[in-house]
Amino acid sequence: MRVAVLGASGWMGKVHTMAYQTFPHFLGSENGTAEVAILVEANPNAAADLAQRAPEARIVQDWKEAIADPEIDLIDICLPDSLHYEVAKAALLAGKHVYCEKPLADTAAEARELADIARERGVITRVGHAFPRNPVHDLAKEIIDAGEIGEIKLFKACQHIDMYGDPLTPYMWRANGELAPTGIIGDTGSHVFSFMEFLVGPVAKLVADNFIVTPKRPVVDGLAYGESAELKGDEDWADITNPDGTNLMVKFANGARGLVDFSRVATGRKFMQTYEIYGTKGSLAYTYDEVNRLRFYSNADKIGRRGYREIDVGPENETFRAFLPLPNFALGYNESKIIEAAEVIKSIVTNTPAWPTFENGHHICQIVDACMTSSETQSWVDIA
């Protein structure tokens, strides 16, 4: 499969390019391989670095050129959030398969349109929710689907970072409501929503409280994600125009309840991601700090012997075994993206959609929309 990666010099663009180049080494080539044929990057100063990362790729500045190329099979979108809808729509209408980083679109209506076009054109789609592709979550889903924790009654989850914990951390595009209209909800909340979709099921209604902690931040040109700068005192200041964090309560279609929170202002939390799932027969607990470990409690255990057991997912899982022969040698984020890239190519080669498609992405966008509406109206919002 010939791939064009759009937004190639950014964090995600680099990760996606690496994933296509790397996955056959671990997961094999029987389900297809990928050639990174075009790298799209608007910044001309990035060309030399990109040429080193993918020497065979053609480097262009205009994403429309990649979509117009008849040799390209897959358009991979790693652009700012506000461009996802426009670019994905153009790619779908050109008959391309599309792999788009989250959030799929700025609104659920846009995501619905993309899913409908994809269905009409008969192409493969994928949204970049990579966290649930860690094999530990396959185990969680297996336990849930087997009924081992019974009927799910309560889901609790959070995801926090401290990117904006310091009030003097400079402004970046992720805080711009025009470039990223839903802020932390589409950026980080959508990760939690992907776990909800994958493990528990559709959300029926929710109530949310979105908040901004620091309303203005200094502007320092040229900073990339995660970089810092010493302020000189003469900087311009920009308004923060999208949410820093959210607290929400959820009702799932299956009757379960949920308590969820996420933010980019949790000082000291470099990356905190957890979930707890409570059922009538047992429960599951996960934290990213122990990235391949699942905690499982079962009422089937003898009284006096009940307690959470720690399960380290290992080579008994085929995907884990492709990378490592022993448990507790952690698979991290980049491995999840390698797994994701391999699944995208397999889906195209076999013409078999795999979760999460644009249809699933639409439902996640519905949750994002509902969070924005609920906080604005201070009310519960139904999700159709």
Side-chain angles (χ1 to χ4, degrees):
M1 292 292 114
R2 291 172 59 84
V3 182
V5 179
L6 282 54
S9 74
W11 174 26
M12 281 299 97
K14 292 176 181 178
V15 171
H16 283 223
T17 300
M18 173 278 301
Y20 292 120
Q21 296 166 331
T22 305
F23 81 75
H25 296 286
F26 299 104
L27 298 163
S29 58
E30 60 270 20
N31 290 309
T33 59
E35 175 192 349
V36 179
I38 296 180
L39 295 176
V40 179
E41 177 51 55
N43 178 9
N45 296 326
D49 178 65
L50 292 176
Q52 289 186 329
R53 294 178 185 275
E56 304 303 319
R58 181 160 58 95
I59 300 168
V60 303
Q61 292 180 261
D62 188 348
W63 57 263
K64 295 177 182 177
E65 185 175 346
I67 291 175
D69 190 325
E71 298 298 316
I72 293 298
D73 303 297
L74 172 65
I75 297 294
D76 182 322
I77 302 171
C78 300
L79 297 165
D81 300 359
S82 61
L83 292 173
H84 288 188
Y85 165 74
E86 177 187 2
V87 177
K89 182 176 179 179
L92 292 171
L93 290 174
K96 308 295 188 183
H97 306 290
V98 182
Y99 170 24
C100 182
E101 264 303 328
K102 55 78 199 165
L104 174 57
D106 289 339
T107 67
E110 291 178 347
R112 178 70 267 159
E113 182 183 0
L114 294 177
D116 289 343
I117 295 172
R119 185 182 65 254
E120 292 164 3
R121 296 294 170 127
V123 295
I124 293 295
T125 60
R126 182 73 176 245
V127 184
H129 290 294
F131 285 112
R133 301 316 307 129
N134 180 332
V136 71
H137 306 301
D138 289 334
L139 174 61
K141 186 167 178 59
E142 178 184 317
I143 290 171
I144 291 168
D145 290 349
E148 294 183 62
I149 65 168
E151 186 179 348
I152 295 174
K153 293 298 183 182
L154 177 63
F155 174 88
K156 296 180 66 177
C158 73
Q159 186 164 318
H160 293 278
I161 56 175
D162 69 349
M163 177 185 82
Y164 270 171
D166 183 344
L168 296 180
T169 296
Y171 181 85
M172 65 180 299
W173 72 264
R174 290 171 185 266
N176 183 329
E178 293 185 0
L179 296 179
T182 60
I184 198 65
I185 303 169
D187 189 14
T188 288
S190 62
H191 288 310
V192 181
F193 303 157
S194 72
F195 283 121
M196 292 158 60
E197 167 92 8
F198 185 63
L199 296 173
V200 184
V203 171
K205 62 192 307 182
L206 62 78
V207 61
D209 174 37
N210 306 331
F211 54 88
I212 294 173
V213 171
T214 304
K216 291 180 179 288
R217 290 187 177 274
V219 177
V220 178
D221 292 333
L223 281 188
Y225 187 84
E227 293 181 344
S228 59
E230 185 174 342
L231 301 182
K232 299 178 181 179
D234 60 352
E235 290 80 11
D236 292 329
W237 288 70
D239 292 330
I240 303 302
T241 52
N242 59 29
D244 281 330
T246 299
N247 297 307
L248 68 146
M249 293 189 294
V250 172
K251 293 182 180 179
F252 291 89
N254 62 10
R257 294 322 198 246
L259 296 170
V260 177
D261 53 270
F262 43 85
S263 80
R264 60 191 180 196
V265 292
T267 305
R269 292 295 187 184
K270 304 308 176 186
F271 185 82
M272 178 184 185
Q273 182 189 79
T274 70
Y275 65 71
E276 300 171 356
I277 305 173
Y278 298 98
T280 53
K281 296 180 180 179
S283 60
L284 298 171
Y286 171 78
T287 175
Y288 193 84
D289 288 347
E290 298 172 290
V291 67
N292 300 134
R293 176 173 292 166
L294 187 68
R295 287 176 168 82
F296 173 39
Y297 179 96
S298 176
N299 284 343
D301 293 340
K302 289 175 59 177
I303 294 176
R305 297 292 185 270
R306 293 178 182 174
Y308 280 97
R309 69 191 72 168
E310 298 177 351
I311 305 172
D312 290 324
V313 173
E316 73 284 349
N317 178 283
E318 182 180 0
T319 303
F320 187 101
R321 186 171 64 249
F323 292 91
L324 293 166
L326 297 171
N328 210 22
F329 280 70
L331 298 187
Y333 182 77
N334 283 351
E335 286 84 1
S336 294
K337 298 305 280 190
I338 292 170
I339 293 166
E340 188 175 62
E343 290 179 347
V344 170
I345 299 303
K346 179 180 179 180
S347 288
I348 296 171
V349 169
T350 63
N351 194 31
T352 305
W355 185 94
T357 66
F358 279 14
E359 192 67 43
N360 304 114
H362 166 248
H363 183 252
I364 291 171
C365 284
Q366 285 183 301
I367 302 173
V368 174
D369 267 14
C371 287
M372 298 296 285
T373 301
S374 173
S375 186
E376 187 175 316
T377 61
Q378 299 185 29
S379 63
W380 284 88
V381 173
D382 292 328
I383 297 177

